[in-house]
Amino acid sequence: MYTVGSYLAARLSQIGLKHHFAVAGDYNLVLLDQLLTNKDLTQVYCSNELNCGFSAEGYARANGAAAAVVTYSVGALSALNAIGGAYAENLPVILISGAPNSNDHASKHLLHHTLGTHDFLYQLEIAKKLTCAAVSIISAADAPALIDHAIRTALREKKPAYIEIACNISAAACAAPGPVSAILSEDPSDLATLEEAIAAATDFLHGKQKPVLLIGSKLRAAGAEKEAIELADALGCSVAVMAAAKSFFPEDHPQFVGIYWGEISAPGAREIVDWSDAVICIGTIFNDYSTVGWTAEPHGPGVLTADTDRVHFEGHDFGCIHLRDFLAALALKVEKRDATMVEYARIRSERPTEPVAEPDAKLMRAEIVRQIRPLVTPETTVLAETGDSWFNGLQLRLPDGARFEVEMQWGHIGWSVPATFGYAVAAPERRIIALIGDGSFQLTAQEVAQMIRLKLPVIIFLMNNHGYTIEVEIHDGPYNNVKNWDYAGLIDAFNAEDGKGRGLRATNGGELAKAIDVALANRDGPTLIECVIDRDDCTADLISWGRQVATANARPPRAD
Ligand code: TPU
Ligand code: MG
């Protein structure tokens, strides 16, 4: 016997979820009971719904998909911010909200947790804008079809979906779920189009001498990481990655030339991409941030764009092609073209590595990065928050297997605390390191308590520069100052009577090294290391990038 709630649980489990994230509320309590009946799914609780959404977002990064369960309006409207993030970041997160009793629709009743009007549709309408599929279940008979539609669409499009379930329907009987293949199956590439696209792309490359691959952040969502390596191997050309795609192409691959990000690119990477006569952009996103204020965007007849389901370049536009099929088929057709590697070998240089600081010298940002470097093993995932943490993280060299997560399209400060929690729930076997600024941490700090609750040995480097330094570099004012907290002391408050989290403060390199030793030894909970640095001790990259973004923001209105 299935109920609407247990049907939903079965489907979540079938698509590979072992957990779902939740905050309780009276519109979803019966649903939570139903989800608990599935012994293959663990319910994981969050401190608030924004964090619940971001925890699921982080889980989806490690696991491929995720679910968050919240209550009506007061919960869901907070979670929807994170769902917008999942949309921007191409992650299939299923947001499930309890909803008013089906009898209250079209009745004279006013309900709590609503606007105090008879409109119970506004949440669904908002969710439609932020998801690829949004359904409302007010009849158990319709539940299987609606649930399947939402989950299938999310998995196909790698975008979030929304399911709201009337609170009196969650425990109502419904049909049993069928085979999961009905949800997982997807339309194959159109073969005739694929063939023509490959012929045209081969022609395009035939006339070119200096191709490069530029890897973008949609590569993982498209499930095409392996195929990108195949194409790189076949062409023998240089491969640059965009910042948001760090770790999506192996950094120890011999053709990897580093991050392409305009004037703050890895040494040689910008020169190679600009010199190329055929930039193959794979799953790239060019926005104001990734183009460094519109100063670095490959354009013109030498650009071939291979997107998630579409390939286009001068005079051609082919749809209905999966990226992985295009890359794999092209790899079989192209000839070696290694001019960009020959040139790169001539011009390459290394960024200078950070000098070792005296153990009792005042802590500086560069020393922190130097001490984090050896922690990054093949089993490590680094999550880097918006702020100078982006730029610090991007400077870490990743051995094969290491992963790197940023939320560069949505860019919600505070994302990384719950996302790290969710990621750690999904991947407890990995070493998980979070790089977070003080300002960002203050948005979502509570989720460290959930890391303590689940004894997750996450290591958090909290850069306390006493302000919104990234904003300082873009446009400064009194609004960029942050009230200081006793960040290390906060962990004791979160521990209460039973927690095993550790909070430490480092003001010099010696203290930082000792704190890292404590963190590595603490397997029973998170360790937060507050790294105290000067307000303006930031990367040169942040300064250069911030200046260009500020210039782009300050463009005057057009006269026309
Ligand atoms: O390294 P640092 O000091 O730049 O990082 P911190 O201290 O985390 O400061 C981040 C400052 C920041 C803000 C205030 N970065 N972006 N913003 C704007 C912003 C405001 N609210 C949300 C939810 N997201 C944002 N990105
Ligand atoms: Mg800061």
Side-chain angles (χ1 to χ4, degrees):
M1 269 296 288
Y2 277 87
T3 64
V4 172
S6 68
Y7 181 97
L8 174 62
R11 282 310 204 196
L12 295 179
S13 170
Q14 280 180 323
I15 65 164
L17 271 55
K18 296 196 167 51
H19 308 82
H20 55 281
F21 297 87
V23 179
D26 57 1
Y27 286 108
N28 71 17
L29 297 176
V30 175
L31 174 62
L32 292 176
D33 285 341
Q34 289 297 313
L35 295 172
L36 281 171
T37 63
N38 188 313
K39 297 303 167 211
D40 297 326
L41 272 184
T42 302
Q43 211 159 72
V44 177
Y45 306 110
C46 294
S47 309
N48 64 48
E49 286 82 357
L50 174 67
N51 291 357
C52 187
F54 280 135
S55 298
E57 197 261 28
Y59 188 91
R61 287 170 184 267
N63 185 61
V69 188
V70 297
T71 194
Y72 196 63
S73 282
V74 289
L77 294 192
S78 294
L80 280 166
N81 187 329
I83 293 301
Y87 196 103
E89 302 289 323
N90 299 297
L91 294 161
V93 175
I94 317 291
L95 177 66
I96 300 151
S97 175
N101 184 300
S102 59
N103 299 304
D104 290 323
H105 286 267
S107 77
K108 286 188 290 190
H109 293 164
L110 289 178
L111 297 175
H112 72 287
H113 294 347
T114 73
L115 300 173
T117 68
H118 296 289
D119 178 2
F120 305 142
L121 289 177
Y122 60 90
Q123 184 168 306
L124 180 66
E125 292 302 317
I126 295 169
K128 280 182 186 162
K129 295 275 188 197
L130 301 173
T131 61
C132 65
V135 299
S136 166
I137 298 175
I138 49 173
S139 140
D142 294 343
L146 292 172
I147 290 171
D148 284 8
H149 168 71
I151 297 178
R152 183 174 56 237
T153 311
L155 294 182
R156 281 184 179 199
E157 299 194 13
K158 301 290 187 282
K159 297 286 185 191
Y162 171 77
I163 301 173
E164 75 177 35
I165 305 179
C167 56
N168 58 329
I169 298 293
S170 304
C174 77
V180 69
S181 48
I183 292 187
L184 298 179
S185 66
E186 55 177 18
D187 297 331
S189 296
D190 180 66
L191 284 185
T193 309
L194 178 61
E195 231 169 74
E196 227 177 282
I198 295 298
T202 316
D203 255 14
F204 165 85
L205 282 170
H206 203 68
K208 306 287 196 277
Q209 306 306 318
K210 306 176 287 186
V212 295
L213 303 189
L214 180 58
I215 304 285
S217 58
K218 286 187 270 179
L219 181 71
R220 174 170 66 181
E225 287 169 277
K226 180 172 78 61
E227 289 78 4
I229 299 172
E230 286 168 19
L231 181 59
D233 290 342
L235 277 168
C237 67
S238 299
V239 183
V241 305
M242 296 187 70
K246 184 176 170 74
S247 85
F248 294 1
F249 187 87
E251 297 196 352
D252 47 13
H253 190 285
Q255 292 153 240
F256 175 74
V257 301
I259 288 171
Y260 170 78
W261 201 1
E263 67 181 62
I264 56 167
S265 299
R270 179 182 201 179
E271 290 75 3
I272 286 297
V273 172
D274 288 351
W275 183 66
S276 165
D277 58 358
V279 184
I280 304 178
C281 295
I282 303 175
T284 46
I285 297 177
F286 296 112
N287 63 21
D288 50 345
Y289 277 14
S290 71
T291 62
V292 194
W294 309 115
T295 62
E297 182 176 3
H299 60 274
V303 173
L304 183 153
T305 302
D307 212 339
T308 311
D309 53 6
R310 177 174 163 229
V311 172
H312 56 102
F313 51 102
E314 218 187 22
H316 298 283
D317 200 320
F318 302 99
C320 301
I321 304 175
H322 290 302
L323 180 58
R324 55 181 175 275
D325 293 339
F326 175 74
L327 298 178
L330 190 60
L332 297 176
K333 282 282 157 63
V334 293
E335 298 153 12
K336 267 238 168 341
R337 282 276 196 281
D338 64 357
T340 48
M341 276 319 286
V342 173
E343 184 61 14
Y344 180 67
R346 293 186 192 115
I347 65 169
R348 71 175 295 165
S349 62
E350 297 294 330
R351 274 181 190 255
T353 48
E354 303 79 12
V356 182
E358 289 300 324
D360 56 359
K362 184 176 165 31
L363 190 59
M364 306 250 309
R365 185 207 63 79
E367 173 65 9
I368 302 169
V369 173
R370 188 190 72 77
Q371 292 203 26
I372 293 174
R373 284 187 192 284
L375 302 179
V376 184
T377 63
E379 298 77 34
T380 297
T381 298
V382 177
L383 293 97
E385 179 68 80
T386 300
D388 206 24
S389 294
W390 272 353
F391 301 91
N392 285 323
L394 288 166
Q395 291 182 7
L396 298 171
R397 183 85 191 183
L398 305 178
D400 201 8
R403 304 299 299 198
F404 188 80
E405 303 290 342
V406 279
E407 195 219 29
M408 272 195 178
Q409 178 59 37
W410 194 240
H412 187 303
I413 58 170
W415 155 84
S416 69
V417 185
T420 298
F421 170 57
Y423 197 104
V425 169
E429 72 290 352
R430 294 185 70 81
R431 169 179 289 174
I432 295 170
I433 297 175
L435 311 180
I436 307 177
D438 53 332
S440 300
F441 183 76
Q442 292 196 2
L443 272 82
T444 52
Q446 312 90 324
E447 238 43 30
V448 175
Q450 306 300 349
M451 298 176 191
I452 292 173
R453 188 182 201 176
L454 296 197
K455 301 186 169 27
L456 299 169
V458 167
I459 307 177
I460 299 171
F461 290 92
L462 187 141
M463 313 296 173
N464 187 1
N465 53 15
H466 303 93
Y468 296 152
T469 296
I470 188 170
E471 298 282 326
V472 170
E473 299 309 328
I474 294 174
H475 186 122
D476 201 8
Y479 35 74
N480 289 329
N481 299 330
V482 169
K483 165 76 181 82
N484 196 33
W485 289 5
D486 176 2
Y487 296 98
L490 196 61
I491 304 303
D492 286 336
F494 286 152
N495 277 335
E497 58 286 343
D498 57 347
K500 297 274 176 13
R502 296 292 308 268
L504 303 137
R505 179 177 296 120
T507 59
N508 60 39
E511 288 171 3
L512 180 60
K514 282 198 193 114
I516 289 175
D517 286 344
V518 171
L520 292 174
N522 179 14
R523 305 299 303 156
D524 299 322
T527 303
L528 180 147
I529 306 174
E530 177 189 347
C531 304
V532 183
I533 55 175
D534 281 343
R535 189 171 191 263
D536 53 1
D537 180 8
C538 66
T539 56
D541 291 346
L542 174 60
I543 295 171
S544 307
W545 176 88
R547 185 173 43 83
Q548 296 288 15
V549 169
T551 306
N553 281 348
R555 281 165 302 161
R558 271 200 297 266
D560 52 49

